[in-house]
Amino acid sequence: MAEALQQLILDTLHASGTIGDTRTLIIPGQSKPAASSDAQIIIRGALDSLDSREMITYTTHETLSHVLTPEGAQIALEGSHEARVWAALPVKGEGSPVLPEELKKKVGDSAKAGQGNAFKNGWITKEGKGLVKLVASIVDSTQQDMREVDATGSLAAGEKALAELRKRKLIVQRKGQWFTVEKGPNFSTSIAKPETDLTVDMLTSGSWKTATFKKYNFEAEGIPTNGGAFHPLLKVREEIRNIFLEMGFTEMPTASFVESGFWCFDALFVPQQHPARDLQDTFYLSDPSSSLPPPADYYARVSQVHEHGGYGSAGYRAPWSHAESSKLLLRTHTTASSAAMLYKLAAKCRGERTPAESNGGSGELAHEHGDVRAQVSAGILDAQDKSSQSQAKPKVDDDGFRPAKLFSIDRVFRNETTDATHLAEFHQVEGVVADRGLTLADLIGFMRLFFKKLGLENLRFKPAYNPYTEPSLEIFAFHPHLRKWVEIGNSGMFRPEMLEPMGFPKDVRVHGWGLSLERPTMIRYGINNIRTLLGHKVSIESVEKSPAVMF
């Protein structure tokens, strides 16, 4: 049909010189002029094909028309609701009135709407509990209007009548097009398609000499390539990472998803009887089930402060379990990595020349794993030395302590029931600042600065409890879209019971804080269900189209 329509357009142009209105054309295979919008869409396809070969040129004209809704099409075929109600009733005095429930059985769901219009038109009346006809004949003007709109796209009665039908949702307005067509520079009544490729047969036969070739369109855009795209979580992660680096932080190594109970809990002064260490909250490994031992002297100091106290603390006064401390588990927070890094940072305070001299890995599955961790951490400390050359060099005291700012963004695991806001794994954003004489006011001031860079300036802080920080603060921000305060993170100052066994001097304080990566991502991209952000329900198309995040 496409070639037949193109030939019709060319023949009409050859005979008349121009086509003033394509709505007058009769598409091959049809019996009436192509006045509908659908017919003009078909004609547009034929015009585009001829125009690409410069055989014709055409001008587009916009028009507004109306089409029937499914309800309007039913009225055009079967009559209006009021007419069907009228037809189902006996004439007054010539039969028993029809009860409303009986009328619904005869007419269907349109009975209720039809009754009102029939009463309004004076076609029916009430007799007892039933309904009867008040007139012997009617003119169904609604049906006539529907048929007129279906045929012409408009009404002779004018815009007021059309507006009433639109209000009743019997018709909808649709934009349409029609075209005027003229001859192009390559006009011909032949629709033979030009060649697009030079073939071996054409070269052999010499037919290429007389063949017509399609012109190259050097301005045409190529097909978009299906390249890779960053997941929204990675985009937000990169933006937060840049904020940390801008503030002078160094990124910690967090590749060890498996940790020991010692580094994940004990080193943080979390009691061995804490509910977070239960099976219903933590994933434990069955093979291997236990870790290599941490440094013996540090292990002894940690177990001592847990069981008997020390460093100004009474401890937990509970029996110490070596088996509990050596269990291997999927880390429940990246603070386990922070603890290992702080232990290495305190090496100079303990009189050690390099952190690599001790087996300081957290939850190692093999000896070489601990060596790699020590080497990487030593590299990070070297990176701090290098970065300090372009800035004010941190003060190094006689006891060997040097201030540090560290951060990490990585995955953690919790044995939780999944729902719209929780998964068994998520990403934790964590930072620590170590220096002498830090106070709670410093922590609050730093939190305000950090979250301001995330675009959150309206903050509140609420006292909270954490086993390894005192004081501790929950951080809340006012959500402008939800119009309520939402918790965005947790923070605090690490306890002496955690820091002093590592070897830090008594006047060293460490700020720690954390937040999830998923929550700011969901807020940024307007995602309500975390399972559509991470997991098998993620839309690949949405990943490709998600814009870069800017706080």
Side-chain angles (χ1 to χ4, degrees):
M1 185 183 75
E3 291 186 357
L5 179 56
Q6 292 177 30
Q7 190 65 59
L8 171 65
I9 293 170
L10 294 175
D11 291 341
T12 305
L13 282 174
H14 181 67
S16 305
T18 184
I19 300 176
D21 188 342
T22 52
R23 291 176 294 185
T24 61
L25 295 176
I26 299 177
I27 296 176
Q30 297 187 12
S31 58
K32 57 183 181 179
S36 68
S37 297
D38 293 337
Q40 290 301 306
I41 291 173
I42 296 172
I43 291 175
R44 172 69 179 268
L47 295 177
D48 286 339
S49 179
L50 294 172
D51 182 51
S52 67
R53 289 176 270 172
E54 298 185 347
M55 300 178 72
I56 60 102
T57 61
Y58 70 90
T59 305
T60 303
H61 304 274
E62 300 286 344
T63 184
L64 293 176
S65 62
H66 291 80
V67 294
L68 305 183
T69 64
E71 184 180 0
Q74 183 185 18
I75 290 175
L77 182 65
E78 301 175 4
S80 64
H81 303 315
E82 53 269 28
R84 278 179 276 167
V85 167
W86 176 86
L89 301 178
V91 177
K92 185 176 182 180
E94 297 182 6
S96 301
V98 177
L99 297 174
E101 54 269 23
E102 295 176 357
L103 181 62
K104 185 175 181 179
K105 291 180 181 179
K106 292 182 178 182
V107 180
D109 293 336
S110 61
K112 185 175 181 180
Q115 286 181 51
N117 289 330
F119 274 116
K120 183 178 177 180
N121 294 339
W123 294 353
I124 65 174
T125 188
K126 194 171 183 181
E127 187 174 283
K129 294 184 178 181
L131 302 171
V132 294
K133 293 178 180 177
L134 196 58
V135 295
S137 63
I138 61 170
V139 175
D140 191 356
S141 59
T142 303
Q143 184 183 39
Q144 293 175 353
D145 290 345
M146 292 297 99
R147 291 178 176 177
E148 183 179 350
V149 171
D150 189 38
T152 66
S154 186
L155 278 178
E159 175 58 29
K160 186 176 180 180
L162 290 169
E164 179 64 27
L165 294 178
R166 286 197 300 267
K167 184 178 179 181
R168 293 176 61 181
K169 298 183 180 180
L170 301 180
I171 63 173
V172 292
Q173 195 174 60
R174 175 186 292 179
K175 288 185 177 181
Q177 295 178 330
W178 59 275
F179 313 94
T180 55
V181 189
E182 296 180 349
K183 294 179 181 179
N186 296 334
F187 177 78
S188 170
T189 56
S190 173
I191 60 172
K193 292 185 178 180
E195 300 291 344
T196 57
D197 294 305
L198 182 63
T199 65
V200 173
D201 292 338
M202 294 171 67
L203 292 173
T204 303
S205 64
S207 62
W208 63 273
K209 297 178 181 179
T210 57
T212 301
F213 288 91
K214 184 177 180 180
K215 293 183 179 180
Y216 282 102
N217 183 2
F218 292 101
E219 296 182 358
E221 295 182 357
I223 298 175
T225 57
N226 292 325
F230 282 117
H231 189 279
L233 276 175
L234 294 180
K235 296 176 183 177
V236 175
R237 180 191 185 279
E238 187 63 19
E239 182 68 14
I240 294 178
R241 183 174 181 272
N242 288 336
I243 290 174
F244 274 116
L245 295 176
E246 174 191 330
M247 298 177 72
F249 279 73
T250 300
E251 189 166 7
M252 294 184 282
T254 54
S256 180
F257 287 177
V258 175
E259 296 283 1
S260 67
F262 177 82
W263 286 105
C264 195
F265 298 117
D266 295 335
L268 301 177
F269 198 58
V270 177
Q272 293 192 333
Q273 298 75 26
H274 196 279
R277 304 176 74 150
D278 293 341
L279 285 173
Q280 58 265 32
D281 289 310
T282 301
F283 292 108
Y284 288 93
L285 272 67
S286 59
D287 185 19
S289 59
S290 60
S291 70
L292 296 176
D297 56 344
Y298 179 49
Y299 180 83
R301 291 194 297 271
V302 171
S303 62
Q304 173 71 22
V305 74
H306 271 256
E307 190 171 11
H308 303 292
Y311 311 101
S313 170
Y316 290 117
R317 304 291 179 173
W320 175 265
S321 170
H322 175 73
E324 184 70 27
S325 184
S326 63
K327 286 181 179 179
L328 281 175
L329 50 91
L330 294 181
R331 66 179 177 205
T332 59
H333 48 194
T334 54
T335 315
S337 298
S338 300
M341 288 303 302
L342 289 172
Y343 175 76
K344 292 175 174 63
L345 184 64
K348 294 182 179 179
C349 304
R350 298 192 303 269
E352 299 175 13
R353 294 182 59 84
T354 170
E357 293 176 354
S358 64
N359 182 22
S362 55
E364 296 89 353
L365 297 179
H367 286 286
E368 57 269 22
H369 181 87
D371 293 338
V372 170
R373 176 184 284 275
Q375 293 167 12
V376 172
S377 64
I380 279 195
L381 296 177
D382 291 342
Q384 288 182 325
D385 291 334
K386 294 175 183 178
S387 66
S388 67
Q389 295 175 3
S390 60
Q391 302 174 7
K393 188 174 182 179
K395 180 181 178 182
V396 180
D397 294 285
D398 295 337
D399 56 13
F401 171 74
R402 183 163 54 86
K405 293 189 289 186
L406 307 170
F407 82 95
S408 66
I409 307 173
D410 213 335
R411 194 175 303 181
V412 297
F413 308 87
R414 304 279 176 86
N415 190 4
E416 295 188 11
T417 303
T418 59
D419 56 30
T421 57
H422 296 85
L423 291 177
E425 57 180 295
F426 60 94
H427 294 79
Q428 181 176 334
V429 179
E430 178 163 340
V432 295
V433 177
D435 204 348
R436 297 181 184 274
L438 293 177
T439 66
L440 182 64
D442 297 322
L443 173 63
I444 293 175
F446 186 84
M447 291 293 96
R448 291 193 183 279
L449 177 61
F450 175 78
F451 283 104
K452 182 178 180 179
K453 291 180 178 292
L454 291 181
L456 301 171
E457 298 190 41
N458 198 358
L459 300 180
R460 285 181 180 176
F461 299 91
K462 174 185 174 183
Y465 167 75
N466 290 319
Y468 45 90
T469 58
E470 179 62 36
S472 306
L473 297 173
E474 291 176 347
I475 310 165
F476 291 80
F478 186 77
H479 196 302
H481 300 297
L482 299 178
R483 299 188 64 79
K484 66 177 183 180
W485 292 89
V486 296
E487 184 181 354
I488 57 173
N490 207 334
S491 65
M493 300 181 67
F494 286 130
R495 299 176 67 107
E497 296 96 323
M498 172 186 165
L499 298 178
E500 293 187 31
M502 293 179 175
F504 283 111
K506 290 183 178 295
D507 62 342
V508 171
R509 303 287 183 265
V510 179
H511 291 160
W513 77 98
L515 63 150
S516 75
L517 184 63
E518 283 75 6
R519 177 164 291 182
T521 303
M522 292 174 69
I523 293 174
R524 170 63 180 80
Y525 289 99
I527 298 172
N528 296 322
N529 193 325
I530 193 172
R531 289 169 289 195
T532 62
L533 173 67
L534 187 65
H536 66 284
K537 292 186 177 182
V538 174
S539 169
I540 300 300
E541 182 181 3
S542 68
V543 172
E544 293 176 348
K545 293 182 178 180
S546 294
V549 64
M550 289 295 292
F551 291 112

